[in-house]
């Protein structure tokens, strides 16, 4: 087989395998196994050694054992519910093979009388006799049974026997692919080829050997393939030539001087990086990553201001209408009156929308704010020069690429996120983009004091709340569930709302995922205008919104949240000049990990430190506390255990880019690792 044919075999449908029909294929697809290549990453968890044959007299009850016997007599009872039995023996004793739900014809076929048959299964004992109930393996050819059989995490309906048969078939037919790595890289993994590494991965003696060269090589392949795709996207975007923007630094300075605070060093560094991109002849595709409350919005608005002064329009997209409105009001406050700002809202009537769309196409609006509706086909710009997307975590690699294409050649793209993540994850998730990071908090921003409190001490919390309300402060009260659940012992938002409104009449409102969007915006607006004091909410208040007067947040069942999500929630307070407080409430029976999480939050307000610790505690899967789309779901690689491989892959990508190496040899690697949609241009 040539390399291309080898390739096609690995990407073949499961029905290409012997003994795999539609039923088995559908069962495997439920486990997200769609082709032969996917099956390679279902690794054995344990194994059963059936290689040693035992005499009947030496059998051990309760253990999986293999024995060679002669079938002597069938006992097929007429009562259907009773099992079928086959009396067997060797020269040392007797053994019954017992079958439930098996037909007589099938039993006679696998256990013909007078023939020597090898049987393997769990040994039982009934009425002074050894027995094997529903033996796992029965064959005249003992070599098929006297082996080590791997155990896998199986889909219901697929037996261990069938699964082992499938895997062995693939391993036996496994193609030898032409090596894609350099000799220098291969040397780091004992020069093991991809084919040999896969074979080692499935050997029972290698279960759990994550540090061995075969495992490391395959983990590196995953990481490297991801980085290579990201590199290709970066190159494609950099190839796009655009009209460079002329940055007026004097006007920028005048705007900065109008601010009632000083920019941090990180903010200044980020705006300089963005300005360099805007004024270059290649397209900007940059992520502005900052901790909660680090001042990303002002940096993005400065970028918008510079773009407008260069004669271009700007579109700013936020995940919610209230956040879009917040940015819109800040821009109105900051920008001089000659800059036309507009907000496109779900509440705008048809006449208003039509007027806005008309003014956009005629370049009468300089900057427009809104939700995802900004990018509908009906919204057209005369001269769009910059797209800014706030809280962009809903966008994966392919969506970001489409977004960049949509803006046109002269349109730069700036994405923002307030979710600090560890560097290994940043390299993986955002490797297709240039990165600006704001770690520093504004100098006037006070540290949020974080306390933990037992649920039984709620009276102390209520006393504290009364004192805060009397001082003119507002409170967020966060609960994990909307309604009371019988399965989960959490306090619900609705129950807490009922409890608090008795204690604080006409001062409490509630917000949750089932709240109508218009009602939600109205509730948040009233809270912002201090029309009530306590907002009981689920985690939907997590992202972005500024409530300068909210200085206390209480989080129920804090042990049920991830560290990063707790940090995001805590960031809803302390946005004004007053000192803020976060109270983490929990039940008495805390796990060790929950105690660790709470202690880390009490010790630091640094989101980057917190995200590193979160990943160490929870693993890299759902580090953000919610489903992070765009996160590469590695089969073997782990950003904590394999940080050295991430660094190695990063260095190798930089070398390839610097030397402008031909990528054709990497085509099999990229295609196998499921990124075929982006490799079309690789020769």
């Amino acid at each position: 087989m040539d390399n291309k044919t080898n390739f096609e075999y690995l990407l073949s449908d499961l029905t290409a395998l012997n003994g795999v029909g539609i039923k088995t294929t559908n069962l495997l697809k439920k486990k997200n196994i769609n082709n032969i290549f996917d099956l390679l990453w279902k690794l054995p968890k344990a194994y059963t050694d059936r290689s040693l044959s035992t005499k009947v007299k030496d059998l051990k009850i309760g253990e999986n054992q293999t024995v060679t016997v002669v079938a002597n007599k069938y006992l097929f009872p007429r009562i259907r519910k009773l099992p079928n039995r086959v009396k067997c023996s060797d020269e040392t004793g007797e053994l019954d093979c017992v079958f439930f739900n098996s037909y007589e014809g099938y039993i006679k076929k696998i256990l013909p009388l007078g023939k020597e048959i090898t049987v393997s299964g769990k040994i039982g004992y009934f009425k002074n006799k050894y027995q094997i109930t529903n033996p796992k393996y029965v064959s005249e050819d003992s070599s098929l049974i006297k082996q080590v059989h791997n155990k896998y995490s199986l889909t219901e309906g697929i037996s261990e026997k069938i699964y082992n048969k499938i895997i062995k078939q693939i391993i036996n037919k496994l193609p030898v692919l032409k090596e894609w790595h350099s000799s220098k890289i291969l040397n780091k993994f004992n020069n093991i080829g991809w084919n040999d590494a896969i074979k080692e991965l499935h050997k029972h003696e290698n279960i759990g050997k994550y540090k061995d060269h075969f495992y490391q090589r395959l983990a590196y392949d995953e990481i490297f393939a991801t980085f290579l795709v990201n590199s290709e996207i970066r190159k494609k975007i950099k190839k796009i030539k655009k009209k460079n923007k002329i940055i007026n630094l004097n006007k920028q300075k005048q705007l900065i001087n109008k601010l009632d605070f000083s920019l941090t060093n990180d903010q200044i560094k980020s705006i300089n990086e963005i300005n360099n991109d805007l004024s270059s002849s290649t397209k900007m595709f940059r992520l502005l990553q900052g901790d909660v409350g680090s001042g990303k919005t002002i940096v993005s608005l400065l970028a918008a201001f510079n773009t407008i002064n260069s004669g271009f329009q700007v579109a700013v997209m936020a995940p919610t209408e209230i956040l879009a409105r917040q940015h819109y009001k800040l821009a109105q406050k900051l920008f001089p009156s000659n800059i036309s700002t507009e907000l496109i809202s779900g509440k705008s009537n048809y006449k208003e929308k039509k007027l806005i769309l008309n003014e956009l196409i005629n370049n009468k609006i300089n900057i427009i704010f809104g939700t995802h509706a900004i990018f509908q086909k009906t919204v057209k710009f005369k001269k769009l020069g910059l797209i800014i997307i706030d809280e962009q975590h809903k966008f994966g690699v392919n969506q970001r690429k489409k977004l960049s294409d949509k803006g046109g050649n002269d349109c730069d793209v700036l994405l923002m996120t307030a979710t600090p993540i560890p560097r290994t994850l940043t390299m993986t998730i955002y490797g297709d983009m240039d990165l600006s990071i704001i770690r520093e908090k504004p100098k006037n921003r006070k540290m949020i004091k974080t306390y933990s409190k037992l649920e039984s001490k709620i009276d102390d919390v209520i006393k504290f709340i009364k004192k805060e309300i009397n001082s003119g402060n507002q409170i967020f009260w966060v609960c994990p569930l909307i309604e009371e659940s019988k399965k989960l012992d959490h306090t619900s938002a609705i129950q807490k709302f009922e409890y608090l409104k008795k204690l604080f009449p006409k001062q409490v409102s509630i917000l949750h995922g089932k709240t109508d969007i218009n009602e939600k915006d109205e509730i948040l607006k009233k809270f912002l205008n201090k029309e009530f004091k306590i907002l009981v909410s689920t985690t939907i208040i997590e992202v972005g919104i500024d409530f300068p007067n909210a200085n206390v947040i209480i989080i129920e069942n804090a042990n049920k949240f991830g560290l990063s999500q707790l940090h995001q929630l805590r960031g809803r307070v302390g946005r004004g000049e007053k000192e803020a407080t976060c109270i983490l409430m929990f039940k008495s029976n805390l796990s060790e990990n929950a105690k660790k999480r709470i202690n880390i939050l009490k010790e630091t307000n640094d989101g980057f430190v917190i995200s590193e610790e979160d990943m160490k505690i929870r693993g890299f899967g759902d580090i953000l506390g919610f489903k992070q789309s765009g996160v590469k779901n590695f089969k073997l690689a782990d950003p904590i255990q394999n940080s050295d491989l991430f660094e190695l892959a990063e260095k190798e990508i930089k070398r390839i880019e610097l030397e402008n190496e031909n990528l054709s040899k990497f085509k099999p690697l990229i295609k196998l690792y499921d990124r075929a949609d982006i490799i079309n241009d690789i020769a």
Side-chain angles (χ1 to χ4, degrees):
M1 288 196 293
D2 62 23
N3 213 40
K4 189 181 176 187
T5 315
N6 289 345
F7 224 80
E8 286 166 354
Y9 171 73
L10 288 168
L11 295 174
S12 299
D13 189 78
L14 299 166
T15 50
L17 294 164
N18 295 332
V20 177
I22 299 297
K23 187 186 171 187
T24 306
T25 297
N26 289 338
L27 288 168
L28 290 168
K29 282 185 176 178
K30 281 181 184 174
K31 283 267 188 180
N32 210 21
I33 297 169
N34 298 305
N35 56 34
I36 290 171
F37 183 75
D38 289 344
L39 271 167
L40 295 175
W41 311 109
K42 288 292 291 175
L43 305 185
K45 305 293 180 193
Y47 64 90
T48 304
D49 189 348
R50 301 183 193 275
S51 60
L52 298 172
S53 190
T54 308
K55 295 294 181 187
V56 170
K57 71 176 178 64
D58 298 322
L59 290 172
K60 291 178 182 174
I61 298 162
E63 290 189 14
N64 276 299
Q65 293 194 288
T66 304
V67 59
T68 299
V69 290
V70 174
N72 301 317
K73 188 179 180 183
Y74 300 127
L75 297 174
F76 298 148
R78 290 181 183 179
I79 301 166
R80 277 195 173 184
K81 286 183 182 178
L82 293 174
N84 291 319
R85 288 176 180 270
V86 182
K87 296 178 80 63
C88 305
S89 64
D90 68 2
E91 68 276 16
T92 69
E94 292 184 345
L95 167 81
D96 281 0
C97 288
V98 183
F99 295 87
F100 286 88
N101 305 317
S102 289
Y103 295 110
E104 292 176 16
Y106 168 73
I107 295 168
K108 286 178 178 178
K109 185 181 175 184
I110 62 168
L111 277 166
L113 296 180
K115 291 249 178 124
E116 229 178 41
I117 307 290
T118 301
V119 183
S120 191
K122 199 169 191 177
I123 305 301
Y125 201 71
F126 184 70
K127 289 187 177 178
N128 298 318
K129 194 186 287 183
Y130 290 112
Q131 67 175 28
I132 298 179
T133 303
N134 292 336
K136 287 269 185 186
Y137 295 86
V138 181
S139 178
E140 284 186 57
D141 184 352
S142 63
S143 66
L144 295 176
I145 297 176
K146 290 181 181 179
Q147 300 172 8
V148 174
H149 296 262
N150 286 337
K151 287 184 176 179
Y152 295 87
S153 174
L154 298 174
T155 301
E156 197 177 331
I158 299 178
S159 70
E160 182 190 295
K161 184 179 177 181
I162 290 169
Y163 206 86
N164 268 290
K165 207 172 175 182
I166 293 168
I167 294 293
K168 277 174 187 166
Q169 185 186 155
I170 296 169
I171 297 295
N172 288 337
K173 284 189 177 181
L174 199 65
V176 178
L177 300 177
K178 193 176 176 184
E179 187 54 64
W180 42 72
H181 292 308
S182 67
S183 55
K184 192 177 176 183
I185 292 293
L186 272 181
N187 197 37
K188 293 182 184 293
F189 306 110
N190 279 13
N191 296 307
I192 191 165
W194 184 86
N195 173 287
D196 290 333
I198 292 285
K199 287 177 178 175
E200 290 295 320
L201 192 66
H202 285 270
K203 287 181 180 175
H204 70 274
E205 62 266 32
N206 288 333
I207 292 170
K209 291 188 178 177
Y210 308 124
K211 293 290 179 187
D212 275 29
H213 57 272
F214 65 87
Y215 194 100
Q216 296 276 301
R217 186 246 146 93
L218 293 170
Y220 178 79
D221 277 335
E222 280 191 292
I223 300 161
F224 180 74
T226 301
F227 285 12
L228 193 59
V229 168
N230 287 338
S231 169
E232 278 303 285
I233 294 172
R234 279 199 310 271
K235 275 197 269 183
K236 282 183 182 183
I237 289 165
K238 294 293 179 194
K239 278 179 189 173
I240 299 168
K241 294 299 171 190
K242 71 161 205 275
K243 190 176 178 184
N244 56 320
K245 287 144 184 106
I246 312 298
I247 307 297
N248 189 324
L249 292 175
N250 285 331
K251 284 188 177 179
Q252 178 183 289
K253 192 177 178 183
Q254 285 168 19
L255 189 68
I256 290 170
N257 289 340
K258 275 174 65 182
L259 300 172
D260 52 9
F261 55 87
S262 299
L263 294 181
T264 64
N265 292 329
D266 280 355
Q267 284 175 311
I268 293 164
K269 183 173 179 278
S270 295
I271 192 61
N272 288 340
E273 287 168 345
I274 292 164
N275 282 346
N276 285 339
D277 285 353
L278 293 173
S279 58
S280 77
S281 59
T282 56
K283 189 164 177 164
M284 174 170 80
F285 195 44
R286 183 171 287 276
L287 176 76
L288 180 60
Q289 184 187 23
D291 202 351
V292 178
S294 60
K296 294 176 303 303
T297 307
I298 194 68
V299 171
S300 68
L301 288 179
L302 282 166
F305 180 69
N306 289 334
T307 302
I308 292 161
N309 286 328
S310 189
F312 289 88
Q313 293 170 292
V314 177
V316 181
M317 187 179 103
T320 63
E321 200 162 293
I322 192 158
L323 191 53
R325 194 176 293 278
Q326 185 177 287
H327 292 336
Y328 166 62
K329 285 183 176 175
L330 181 59
Q332 280 186 317
K333 184 181 163 188
L334 279 178
F335 292 168
S337 56
N338 65 323
I339 289 180
S340 168
T341 58
E342 193 54 79
L343 175 78
I344 193 161
S345 160
K347 291 171 187 168
S348 309
N349 60 42
Y350 175 75
K351 197 175 176 182
E352 284 173 327
K353 277 184 184 171
K354 196 174 178 185
L355 182 65
I356 289 168
L357 295 177
N358 189 49
E359 289 187 334
L360 269 178
I361 195 80
N362 290 307
N363 207 8
K364 288 181 180 176
I365 294 171
N366 299 118
I367 180 167
I368 188 160
F369 297 84
T371 56
H372 61 278
I374 287 180
F375 295 114
Q376 287 175 352
K377 284 180 182 177
T378 51
V379 182
K380 291 176 182 173
F381 297 82
K382 175 78 173 173
K383 203 178 178 186
L384 185 61
L386 176 63
I387 293 169
I388 298 170
I389 294 188
D390 195 8
E391 291 307 335
Q392 71 81 55
H393 56 256
K394 292 174 186 171
F395 289 84
V397 175
N398 291 336
Q399 288 164 305
R400 292 199 293 263
K401 178 76 172 65
K402 284 173 189 170
L403 178 69
S404 173
D405 296 342
K406 186 178 175 67
N409 284 4
D410 287 334
C411 185
D412 292 301
V413 180
L414 179 66
L415 306 182
M416 298 196 292
T417 179
T419 310
I421 58 172
R423 187 168 175 272
T424 46
L425 273 188
T426 304
M427 289 153 68
T428 306
I429 302 166
Y430 301 122
D432 54 320
M433 308 171 72
D434 293 314
L435 189 65
S436 292
I437 298 176
I438 306 178
R439 285 175 178 268
E440 269 179 287
K441 301 279 176 70
K443 289 179 176 65
N444 66 342
R445 189 63 52 87
K446 292 183 173 70
M447 183 160 167
I448 301 163
K449 288 190 171 177
T450 305
Y451 303 95
S452 54
K453 204 80 178 167
L454 272 169
E455 217 175 68
S456 56
K457 304 277 186 184
I458 193 164
D459 289 348
D460 295 348
V461 177
I462 297 297
K463 276 181 202 169
F464 177 73
I465 297 264
K466 283 178 179 172
K467 190 177 134 199
E468 287 293 312
I469 287 173
N470 291 336
S471 301
N473 292 330
Q474 289 174 287
I475 290 96
F476 283 115
W477 197 301
V478 180
C479 303
L481 290 179
I482 296 166
E483 289 158 358
E484 198 61 31
S485 166
K486 288 176 184 176
K487 289 182 183 177
L488 297 168
D489 187 19
H490 294 174
T491 308
S492 74
I494 290 167
Q495 185 195 36
K496 191 57 63 182
F497 169 67
E498 296 295 334
Y499 168 78
L500 289 170
K501 77 175 183 182
K502 286 173 189 171
L503 297 171
F504 303 93
K506 296 181 182 177
Q507 295 189 78
V508 190
S509 192
I510 184 168
L511 196 65
H512 52 66
K514 291 182 182 175
T515 309
D516 174 76
I517 188 153
N518 292 333
E519 191 188 346
K520 177 182 161 186
D521 282 349
E522 196 57 36
I523 290 165
L524 289 171
K525 191 178 172 184
K526 283 181 178 178
F527 191 55
L528 198 57
N529 294 333
K530 306 177 193 175
E531 291 179 40
F532 58 89
K533 298 293 184 183
I534 302 171
L535 180 61
V536 178
S537 168
T538 54
T539 56
I540 58 171
I541 55 104
E542 188 179 328
V543 172
I545 311 160
D546 259 330
F547 294 94
N549 202 52
N551 268 337
V552 178
I553 186 164
I554 288 124
I555 304 171
E556 300 244 8
N557 292 96
N559 49 301
K560 301 294 179 187
F561 295 97
L563 252 178
S564 292
Q565 193 179 25
L566 284 171
H567 178 64
Q568 291 288 315
L569 288 166
R570 177 171 64 176
R572 294 311 98 224
V573 298
R575 321 268 304 183
E577 291 180 3
K578 291 181 185 177
E579 193 170 71
T581 306
C582 172
I583 299 172
L584 305 170
M585 296 190 72
F586 59 92
K587 298 182 189 300
S588 54
N589 53 341
L590 280 184
S591 67
E592 283 306 309
N593 278 347
K595 284 177 190 170
K596 273 187 203 171
R597 287 203 294 273
I598 286 171
N599 286 332
I600 289 161
L601 277 168
K602 285 160 82 170
E603 287 163 13
T604 182
N605 270 202
D606 187 326
F608 289 92
V609 171
I610 285 165
S611 70
E612 290 282 354
E613 293 300 321
D614 200 10
M615 192 164 77
K616 285 175 193 170
I617 293 169
R618 282 145 53 88
F620 104 97
D622 192 21
I623 182 159
L624 304 179
F626 54 87
K627 181 102 178 123
Q628 165 77 47
S629 74
V631 172
K632 170 71 176 168
N633 186 20
F634 290 121
K635 305 285 195 302
L636 305 180
D638 184 294
I640 306 161
Q641 305 298 331
N642 305 127
S643 57
D644 56 331
L645 299 181
F646 279 81
E647 285 167 19
L648 179 64
E650 188 182 33
K651 281 180 190 171
E652 182 66 358
I653 292 295
K654 282 178 181 171
R655 181 196 67 76
I656 288 166
E657 288 175 345
L658 196 67
E659 294 176 12
N660 200 20
E661 191 172 305
N662 187 303
L663 300 184
S664 58
K665 67 175 179 177
F666 297 119
K667 195 168 183 174
L669 170 73
I670 298 173
K671 191 148 189 171
L672 281 176
Y673 288 83
D674 203 22
R675 295 303 182 95
D677 55 329
I678 308 176
I679 63 158
N680 300 328
D681 292 351
I682 297 176

